[in-house]
Amino acid sequence: NISYFSFSNQNIIKFIIFMFIKELIKGIFLNLDIDSLQKSGYIIMEAITGSTSFNLNTPTSDIDKHGVFILPIKDRLRYDYIDEIKDEKNDCVYWEIGKYLELLAKANPGALELLYSPEKCILQKKAVFDLIPKEKFLTMNCKDTFIQYAKSQIKRAFGLNKKVFKPKEKEPEVLEFCFIWDGKIAENVKSFLAKKEINQKNVAISAIDKMENMYNLYIQLESDSSLRWAYGIVRDEKNSKDIQLSSIPKGFESSAIMFFNRNAYSNECKEYAQYIEWKLKRNNDRYEKTLEHGKGYDSKNMMHNYRLLLTAKDIVEKKTIIIDRTKDREFLFKIKNGEFEFDELVSMSEKLVDEIDVLFTNSNLPEKCPDINDLLIKILFTNEKSLSIIKYFRSLINFYKG
């Protein structure tokens, strides 16, 4: 009963509209970055992660941070709702509670490791974060995420090994993938023409009907004084990205049949582009370390890959996630220092993957986690910043009391 307040319904409406517009204007300019997030009071969990939390850091290691925040309800309902904030290097990543719970449900390794952060690494934590039942998120999904991620890293290591020892510094050329078939063997078209002392500019090709990537090859000698119709298999040997077809005058006989291995050329171009991108973006310190130990793999990456497998083993055997890997530090640093041959390390990793796979098969871990929708609602309405409507009415009452 609020009859003792001397204000009209009209004043109440005006006040609510004023508060709504005030918050709306503030919301229009919502542009959260890490600095503004730190000052907002929205963060409910923040911890040091990465090498430092694993006790695998060195004096030159970066300090990684992960965190979870809760936006006010009005901002969660925006069309440009922000579910993740991170810096350019991905050293600091913060997830909005909705996205964080989704990642946990999918057994995302980074999200789970944050959930099991040791006390010494936690920078701030609100009680509402403890509403998340961390043991409930250790499910059979961990088998797929941890092991599949480890396998992808092994594959990535294979790729780096290839980039280090077989760098693709030369851009592929179309003619390198064109071959002449004489009925017995395939010969590269450049070699074929060189033997005949013919410049490719004096060659023309036309498609063979119903035979994909097969072409009749014609030669128009330089001594031919008639109208030119041969302008080359490619326009530019170094820069052309495809062959060019010509219109062949009637009466000319084909000199050979040419095959263009288009798929191989396309794959080579893709690998070349990936190599150039990797070369531009690679971590030069880690690359120099790779060259230094001479084993041809990113040793830091493989160290964390093996650590992840050890974590997966802990999940299935001990039903927890052990972040601090002090007990494994010596062995893991041997990997980081390149003391294992590449094939030996891959073999060790694959053996551990097989062992973990069997453990998961025989484990009693739940198939899936609890309903995250119910958990999300509980967290949102427990968090004081999500109850902004109550603040409005408290402000309203205090306003008219005063």
Side-chain angles (χ1 to χ4, degrees):
N1 184 7
I2 56 173
S3 59
Y4 56 87
F5 291 120
S6 57
F7 54 84
S8 65
N9 289 337
Q10 187 177 9
N11 286 333
I12 295 176
I13 294 172
K14 285 181 179 179
F15 180 82
I16 292 175
I17 292 174
F18 168 76
M19 294 295 290
F20 177 77
I21 292 175
K22 177 184 174 183
E23 292 298 324
L24 180 62
I25 291 173
K26 191 169 96 175
I28 289 173
F29 299 102
L30 179 68
N31 184 23
L32 281 177
D33 56 19
I34 289 180
D35 289 337
S36 57
L37 179 65
Q38 293 281 3
K39 299 172 184 176
S40 67
Y42 297 161
I43 295 175
I44 63 169
M45 172 62 170
E46 182 183 35
I48 293 174
T49 56
S51 297
T52 304
S53 66
F54 306 136
N55 195 25
L56 298 174
N57 57 312
T58 62
T60 59
S61 296
D62 294 327
I63 301 295
D64 298 336
K65 295 178 185 178
H66 281 72
V68 181
F69 62 95
I70 299 180
L71 289 173
I73 292 293
K74 63 182 178 58
D75 292 324
R76 295 194 91 255
L77 298 177
R78 291 167 60 99
Y79 75 92
D80 57 348
Y81 159 67
I82 299 172
D83 64 1
E84 182 176 281
I85 299 172
K86 57 187 176 182
D87 63 7
E88 291 183 358
K89 295 174 65 179
N90 281 344
D91 288 339
C92 298
V93 181
Y94 296 81
W95 297 297
E96 210 279 331
I97 186 64
K99 179 167 184 177
Y100 182 64
L101 291 178
E102 287 182 15
L103 292 173
L104 287 179
K106 295 176 181 176
N108 175 275
L112 284 170
E113 287 171 351
L114 176 63
L115 188 61
Y116 279 83
S117 293
E119 288 297 325
K120 66 179 181 179
C121 294
I122 296 175
L123 301 175
Q124 57 175 311
K125 183 172 73 166
K126 293 182 179 178
V128 68
F129 186 78
D130 288 329
L131 292 175
I132 302 174
K134 58 184 183 181
E135 69 283 351
K136 300 290 186 182
F137 286 94
L138 297 183
T139 67
M140 292 297 291
N141 286 338
C142 295
K143 173 186 173 182
D144 294 328
T145 54
F146 280 77
I147 292 182
Q148 289 305 317
Y149 182 80
K151 286 181 177 179
S152 71
Q153 292 304 298
I154 292 173
K155 184 177 180 182
R156 180 180 174 187
F158 271 118
L160 178 63
N161 184 269
K162 191 175 179 181
K163 288 183 177 73
V164 171
F165 290 113
K166 296 180 180 179
K168 293 187 178 296
E169 299 286 358
K170 180 178 176 294
E171 187 172 5
E173 298 173 10
V174 169
L175 291 183
E176 294 172 346
F177 298 85
C178 294
F179 300 91
I180 300 299
W181 176 249
D182 66 359
K184 294 181 180 179
I185 61 171
E187 181 180 10
N188 182 264
V189 72
K190 294 174 73 173
S191 172
F192 172 81
L193 295 175
K195 289 178 181 178
K196 294 180 175 293
E197 298 182 348
I198 295 173
N199 190 309
Q200 78 93 20
K201 288 292 185 182
N202 296 322
V203 173
I205 57 173
S206 64
I208 299 177
D209 189 32
K210 299 179 181 179
M211 298 183 71
E212 188 177 9
N213 296 325
M214 298 289 288
Y215 305 89
N216 280 315
L217 182 144
Y218 301 86
I219 298 172
Q220 184 181 25
L221 300 176
E222 291 185 8
S223 58
D224 188 341
S225 59
S226 62
L227 186 66
R228 298 300 300 176
W229 46 264
Y231 296 100
I233 300 170
V234 292
R235 193 177 299 276
D236 185 317
E237 287 193 36
K238 298 292 183 184
N239 300 313
S240 291
K241 306 301 181 187
D242 203 351
I243 57 175
Q244 62 176 352
L245 302 182
S246 300
S247 179
I248 311 299
K250 291 183 179 180
F252 281 88
E253 293 290 332
S254 169
S255 299
I257 294 176
M258 188 191 84
F259 170 65
F260 175 31
N261 194 340
R262 193 178 297 274
N263 286 338
Y265 173 69
S266 177
N267 290 335
E268 195 73 11
C269 287
K270 183 178 178 181
E271 289 186 12
Y272 172 76
Q274 289 173 342
Y275 172 77
I276 296 301
E277 183 181 15
W278 167 79
K279 188 176 179 180
L280 291 172
K281 295 182 179 180
R282 71 189 177 195
N283 183 313
N284 284 322
D285 290 337
R286 287 168 70 168
Y287 177 66
E288 291 299 327
K289 182 73 174 178
T290 300
L291 294 180
E292 180 184 326
H293 62 61
K295 302 298 170 63
Y297 60 87
D298 185 336
S299 54
K300 182 178 179 180
N301 181 66
M302 287 299 285
M303 175 190 72
H304 284 298
N305 170 61
Y306 207 90
R307 173 197 60 76
L308 201 66
L309 290 175
L310 293 175
T311 301
K313 189 176 180 182
D314 288 336
I315 289 173
V316 70
E317 284 189 329
K318 302 176 181 179
K319 306 298 187 293
T320 190
I321 291 180
I322 299 174
I323 302 298
D324 190 324
R325 308 310 303 194
T326 300
K327 67 183 181 68
D328 304 306
R329 180 182 170 92
E330 183 178 351
F331 170 74
L332 291 172
F333 265 59
K334 285 183 178 181
I335 298 177
K336 186 177 181 180
N337 294 331
E339 295 183 26
F340 295 99
E341 294 297 328
F342 179 70
D343 291 342
E344 179 185 8
L345 185 55
V346 169
S347 177
M348 289 164 52
S349 298
E350 290 177 340
K351 183 179 179 181
L352 184 54
V353 166
D354 292 339
E355 181 184 347
I356 295 169
D357 192 47
V358 172
L359 289 171
F360 267 100
T361 301
N362 298 323
S363 77
N364 59 355
L365 286 172
E367 289 294 327
K368 59 182 181 179
C369 65
D371 185 350
I372 61 171
N373 290 315
D374 292 342
L375 180 58
L376 176 61
I377 293 171
K378 182 179 180 181
I379 290 172
L380 288 177
F381 284 96
T382 302
N383 183 61
E384 62 178 357
K385 283 192 171 293
S386 296
L387 301 177
S388 55
I389 188 65
I390 294 177
K391 285 190 173 184
Y392 292 162
F393 280 102
R394 283 177 179 169
S395 299
L396 175 66
I397 293 171
N398 291 333
F399 175 80
Y400 280 100
K401 273 184 175 180

